[in-house]
Amino acid sequence: MLWKMVADSLRGRRRRLPCSLWFLLLIAAGGLVLFIHQRDLSEMALQQGPGVKLKSNPRQSRETLSTQERERGKSDNYQDRTEGALSSPIPPIQFPHFEAIKQTATPESREQTRQASCPGSREQDATLVHVSKRQRKLLKTSPPIHHSTNSDSSSSSTSSSASGSLDPDRWKTLANIQIARQQLMKEICAKYKSSISKTITAHHVRNLYVEDKYKLLYCQVPKAGCSNWKRTLIVLAGLASNAQSIQHDTVHEGHYLRELNTFDRKGIMHRLETYTKVMFIREPLERMVSAYRDKFENPNNYYHSLFGKPIISKYRASPSPEALKTGNGVTFKEFVQYLLDVHRPVGMDIHWEQANQLCNPCLIDYDFIGKFENMEEESNFLLRLTGAPANVKLPSFKDRNPADKRTSTNITQKYFSQVSTLERQRIYDFYYTDYLMFNYTKPFKDLY
């Protein structure tokens, strides 16, 4: 019995020993296989480049990488194609023809577009191929200051506009001009103002006046026919029988017209969405000179006291006690120094503030962008569009300092001859956005 037990024990040892050896062999084999597999995967990853997922087989990794390269290339092309202009958060629906025109534009067509406007002018850096050569020609309603022979009249007059009607061909031309101006405005805003907030507040509509009967919203730009347009709105509202009878103080202080920012938000948005939104602008430097002449060369206690005193005090070397007391006699050069000073002794004023700051055209989608240089015809066109009675026309009289000649391009030249070339350049830069948005030509040849 004892022998049998010893023999069974020895047989058990012999069975356990081979199992241990097999276990060790299996562990070693598994480690070797794992090592070889990891080395193969590393070599594959090095051959195929970065971004390959180790859990994918070689075919799947190549397809993944190829897709990534295509997407990366597509993204790069899109970024190049939309640099500046389509980086705007403005929904693409507002640019219905933007992409199609840009994609089909050739280098030759771009060169033709650049040549269609004033060669070498700074605004051509942003000349947008989306506005055709013909449209840009239509847009250029204001001649450059350096070769203009403007008369003292504020606008060109035609027999058709004087009669209250427009020739069908001219009507179509004016309509095309509006389309081109609005398209150009959208492109400039998308390129240069894409970062602004798209939330409209009461502050943004502070310069818009409401005429509910004909559903008009008019943004006032002083020195660009503002007073006469307010008179016309008062007549349209039925508050006066004719514009000529409305005095200047009544226009601006009579509170006949309600500002849009006095409505609640619902009322503001309703009118912005359903009314015809209108703004008229003027060649920026000419408008600035007009403002200076009106407010500083003529008696004006308010502007002489509020602006004249601090301007004379800061920019005149040896001011007289009388000048410091009254603020009278601010020179044009002193006025320019005030505008260019980032630390102005007194703030800005609506009469020389940039038009794009007054009306916010990158935030408010204006239906009509008129120009002072063609005020009579374009105003008549707008009034007929709104359904105004045929006898309602924009008045053309000058009620402020009527003895003074209207500020013309020639007068503007004379005033800017009083300042240095550098100051002239800096004033142009100050109003550069207005020149760009409203497509005015550079006023002087030596500007860059």
Side-chain angles (χ1 to χ4, degrees):
M1 178 66 68
L2 182 60
W3 172 253
K4 184 177 180 180
M5 292 174 62
V6 171
D8 290 340
S9 175
L10 290 173
R11 280 198 298 272
R13 271 197 203 113
R14 281 198 302 271
R15 284 195 300 267
R16 284 194 296 273
L17 185 58
C19 289
S20 300
L21 289 174
W22 277 109
F23 181 73
L24 292 174
L25 288 173
L26 286 172
I27 291 175
L32 181 61
V33 171
L34 181 61
F35 173 78
I36 293 172
H37 182 62
Q38 288 178 339
R39 189 175 66 175
D40 289 343
L41 289 175
S42 299
E43 291 175 353
M44 181 181 69
L46 290 173
Q47 292 173 357
Q48 295 183 0
V52 179
K53 297 181 180 179
L54 293 179
K55 291 184 180 180
S56 304
N57 59 43
R59 178 176 177 82
Q60 290 173 331
S61 300
R62 283 194 295 271
E63 289 174 352
T64 302
L65 183 60
S66 176
T67 302
Q68 291 172 346
E69 289 174 343
R70 286 197 301 270
E71 292 298 324
R72 191 182 301 115
K74 189 184 300 183
S75 175
D76 291 343
N77 291 337
Y78 178 80
Q79 184 176 358
D80 292 341
R81 193 167 63 245
T82 61
E83 182 181 359
L86 287 187
S87 60
S88 167
I90 299 174
I93 192 65
Q94 296 187 23
F95 303 89
H97 308 299
F98 190 89
E99 276 301 304
I101 298 175
K102 184 139 189 174
Q103 289 175 0
T104 56
T106 63
E108 292 77 16
S109 67
R110 292 188 182 95
E111 184 62 27
Q112 291 173 358
T113 304
R114 282 192 293 271
Q115 293 174 356
S117 50
C118 181
S121 67
R122 177 172 171 182
E123 59 257 72
Q124 301 320 314
D125 294 342
T127 320
L128 311 136
V129 297
H130 325 97
V131 180
S132 70
K133 179 177 179 180
R134 179 173 178 274
Q135 287 174 323
R136 287 195 69 82
K137 185 177 180 182
L138 292 174
L139 282 165
K140 294 289 184 183
T141 59
S142 173
I145 286 178
H146 56 264
H147 60 72
S148 171
T149 56
N150 254 11
S151 64
D152 293 335
S153 61
S154 64
S155 62
S156 62
S157 60
T158 63
S159 58
S160 59
S161 63
S163 64
S165 61
L166 288 170
D167 178 83
D169 290 338
R170 186 58 183 163
W171 183 284
K172 184 177 180 180
T173 298
L174 292 172
N176 287 335
I177 288 174
Q178 284 302 313
I179 293 171
R181 286 177 186 169
Q182 292 166 21
Q183 180 66 18
L184 179 63
M185 176 65 69
K186 288 178 180 179
E187 291 170 6
I188 294 296
C189 289
K191 187 167 186 178
Y192 293 97
K193 298 284 188 176
S194 60
S195 61
I196 65 172
S197 171
K198 301 304 173 185
T199 302
I200 296 177
T201 66
H203 175 76
H204 295 123
V205 299
R206 67 194 183 282
N207 291 311
L208 270 71
Y209 286 83
V210 180
E211 199 292 293
D212 286 312
K213 185 177 180 180
Y214 289 90
K215 298 185 182 303
L216 280 172
L217 294 179
Y218 168 74
C219 181
Q220 66 167 342
V221 178
K223 316 311 297 180
C226 173
S227 298
N228 283 333
W229 253 108
K230 286 185 177 180
R231 287 185 173 93
T232 304
L233 293 177
I234 292 172
V235 172
L236 289 175
L239 302 175
S241 58
N242 63 81
Q244 286 76 7
S245 64
I246 308 174
Q247 299 298 315
H248 185 273
D249 291 342
T250 302
V251 169
H252 295 285
E253 300 172 14
H255 305 289
Y256 286 99
L257 298 172
R258 187 172 175 183
E259 296 95 335
L260 184 58
N261 65 352
T262 60
F263 291 85
D264 59 21
R265 178 159 185 81
K266 183 178 179 180
I268 291 174
M269 297 312 298
H270 169 71
R271 286 165 176 80
L272 285 174
E273 292 166 0
T274 59
Y275 284 24
T276 300
K277 298 171 288 295
V278 178
M279 65 180 297
F280 274 83
I281 40 84
R282 184 178 185 177
E283 204 283 334
L285 264 59
E286 187 175 306
R287 175 174 166 255
M288 170 204 160
V289 171
S290 178
Y292 165 77
R293 295 178 69 206
D294 181 29
K295 304 306 177 187
F296 295 105
E297 286 190 342
N298 290 285
N300 191 313
N301 291 335
Y302 176 81
Y303 279 90
H304 291 189
S305 177
L306 182 61
F307 289 90
K309 290 179 183 179
I311 288 175
I312 291 173
S313 175
K314 183 168 185 179
Y315 306 111
R316 190 170 296 182
S318 301
S320 67
E322 180 68 16
L324 291 174
K325 180 181 178 181
T326 62
N328 297 341
V330 172
T331 67
F332 184 69
K333 187 175 180 64
E334 290 169 344
F335 180 62
V336 167
Q337 290 177 298
Y338 149 76
L339 273 183
L340 297 178
D341 188 356
V342 294
H343 302 294
R344 299 184 189 96
V346 63
M348 287 293 289
D349 182 78
I350 190 174
H351 289 83
W352 47 83
E353 179 71 275
Q354 299 97 325
N356 74 87
Q357 295 291 330
L358 297 175
C359 297
N360 300 289
C362 290
L363 191 59
I364 300 169
D365 189 12
Y366 285 88
D367 304 291
F368 193 96
I369 302 171
K371 289 196 172 183
F372 180 84
E373 292 75 19
N374 194 30
M375 177 67 81
E376 182 179 350
E377 186 178 39
E378 293 188 16
S379 295
N380 182 49
F381 174 58
L382 173 60
L383 289 169
R384 303 295 77 79
L385 282 175
T386 59
N391 65 328
V392 176
K393 300 173 186 176
L394 190 80
S396 59
F397 62 85
K398 183 180 183 334
D399 64 341
R400 290 281 292 176
N401 309 309
D404 293 345
K405 290 184 177 180
R406 287 187 184 273
T407 302
S408 64
T409 53
N410 290 332
I411 290 176
T412 302
Q413 272 189 320
K414 292 178 181 178
Y415 276 84
F416 273 93
S417 67
Q418 303 173 28
V419 301
S420 68
T421 302
L422 177 59
E423 288 171 322
R424 191 162 59 231
Q425 177 66 54
R426 290 183 63 199
I427 286 292
Y428 173 71
D429 293 340
F430 181 80
Y431 289 106
Y432 178 61
T433 304
D434 280 359
Y435 276 97
L436 205 61
M437 286 185 173
F438 306 115
N439 203 38
Y440 280 104
T441 307
K442 283 194 304 183
F444 297 101
K445 290 181 179 179
D446 57 356
L447 296 176
Y448 57 83

